[in-house]
Amino acid sequence: MTNQSTIDKLIEMRLTSMADAFRIQEKDPSMKEMSFEDRFGLLVDTEYTNRKSNRLKRLIKNAEFDQPSASVVDIDYTSGRKLNKELIRRLASCEYIADYRNIFITGATGSGKSYMACAFGMEACKHYYNTKYVRLPDLLIDLRTARENGTYKKVLSKYSNPTLLILDEWLLMKPTPEEQTDIFELLHRRRKRSSTIFCSQYTKEGWYEQLGGDASPLADAILDRIVHDGYVINIVPIDPSKDLSMREVYGLSETDRM
């Protein structure tokens, strides 16, 4: 059996990284001094590493982060925001995902909610969790369109299946009764089997009224499916007079959402 035949078979089995590494070994005289086991181990390591790297790239691409450059290590703790560094460090470990718990990130416009959520999302991808970012207004439009063209279940699954879902602009606008039904169905499917990060300008105490309060039959049911055992990060200024917008801190334009 020739080496080219071996390479062709590796490519046919989609072991392209191993095939490339084998070609490199053929041209490297020093490899002849290594044992078969060591050379084979290097080939397997190359294929394994590249597959993990490609998988991570796919997860990040499919997540469709609003801020794909967001990073936990770049979260600013000195810009006048009161942040619990130890809590953020714990959440970056993604243990909350293994426990099916949620995160609530609240704060004013420009406080860095979306950046922090995307940073947590990046960590989830690094742990190889299927992750999805979406603005709640866009999600509701997507579901409304899907209901009209008969693809509702498929689109609902698109948002209910990810292990981690990031819902930005959560309850920024009061949802209609039909939209409340969509929110209820989504969160009911995700309950106790996945985690969700909610980014909102309103604290949890204001969500009931945003959902219609006593006039809404679904307000309590929706909150009952998300508020228990969730981690809360309320981004508030220590000294409003010295407060800096996260757009300034991270060098983002005014059109970038936070």
Side-chain angles (χ1 to χ4, degrees), residues 87-96 120 123 127 129:
L87 174 60
I88 291 173
R89 185 193 66 78
R90 285 180 54 203
L91 295 177
S93 72
C94 296
E95 64 178 26
Y96 70 96
F120 287 144
E123 292 304 310
H127 283 76
Y129 287 119

Side-chain angles (χ1 to χ4, degrees), residues 31-257:
M31 286 293 171
K32 295 180 180 180
E33 300 175 5
M34 296 180 63
S35 67
F36 168 79
E37 290 80 5
D38 288 341
R39 290 185 61 179
F40 185 68
L42 289 175
L43 295 176
V44 172
D45 286 345
T46 298
E47 183 67 36
Y48 178 82
T49 299
N50 284 337
R51 286 198 174 208
K52 297 283 278 189
S53 176
N54 290 337
R55 182 184 176 192
L56 176 58
K57 290 177 182 177
R58 287 195 300 271
L59 285 169
I60 294 173
K61 180 181 179 180
N62 293 338
E64 298 183 306
F65 292 120
D66 179 60
Q67 297 178 39
S69 62
S71 171
V72 168
V73 297
D74 290 333
I75 291 177
D76 192 283
Y77 296 95
T78 63
S79 56
R81 300 300 198 276
K82 187 187 298 183
L83 296 174
N84 186 331
K85 192 171 185 178
E86 176 59 24
L87 174 60
I88 291 173
R89 185 193 66 78
R90 285 180 54 203
L91 295 177
S93 72
C94 296
E95 64 178 26
Y96 70 96
I97 298 177
D99 295 334
Y100 307 129
R101 298 179 67 174
N102 300 321
I103 300 177
F104 311 118
I105 306 177
T106 62
T109 298
S111 62
K113 301 184 299 293
S114 298
Y115 184 94
M116 187 176 294
C118 288
F120 287 144
M122 287 293 295
E123 292 304 310
C125 288
K126 291 175 184 177
H127 283 76
Y128 301 102
Y129 287 119
N130 185 15
T131 303
K132 181 69 177 176
Y133 169 95
V134 66
R135 296 170 59 251
L136 180 62
D138 291 337
L139 181 150
L140 295 174
I141 291 173
D142 207 1
L143 289 175
R144 182 170 67 244
T145 302
R147 182 181 285 105
E148 294 170 353
N149 61 27
T151 60
Y152 184 81
K153 288 186 177 180
K154 179 180 179 180
V155 174
L156 185 60
S157 295
K158 170 184 172 183
Y159 298 112
S160 60
N161 288 341
T163 307
L164 176 64
L165 177 67
I166 300 173
L167 281 178
D168 205 352
E169 297 183 9
W170 168 249
L171 300 181
L172 179 63
M173 297 172 285
K174 291 185 176 181
T176 65
E178 184 180 73
E179 290 172 339
Q180 287 188 36
T181 299
D182 290 337
I183 293 172
F184 173 79
E185 288 296 330
L186 172 66
L187 298 179
H188 180 73
R189 291 189 179 206
R190 295 185 57 78
R191 187 184 189 186
K192 302 298 183 182
R193 57 182 293 268
S194 52
S195 296
T196 306
I197 298 178
F198 300 85
C199 298
S200 179
Q201 292 187 29
Y202 297 91
T203 61
K204 286 198 306 179
E205 292 71 24
W207 293 356
Y208 183 72
E209 287 303 317
Q210 283 299 103
L211 287 167
D214 295 337
S216 170
L218 287 177
D220 279 321
I222 290 173
L223 295 180
D224 181 63
R225 280 155 177 77
I226 63 174
V227 298
H228 303 296
D229 299 322
Y231 294 98
V232 179
I233 300 176
N234 186 23
I235 306 175
V236 295
I238 299 173
D239 182 352
S241 65
K242 299 179 180 179
D243 194 19
L244 292 176
S245 167
M246 290 297 100
R247 294 193 179 92
E248 297 177 65
V249 174
Y250 296 118
L252 301 172
S253 68
E254 288 300 316
T255 58
D256 288 318
R257 289 190 298 274

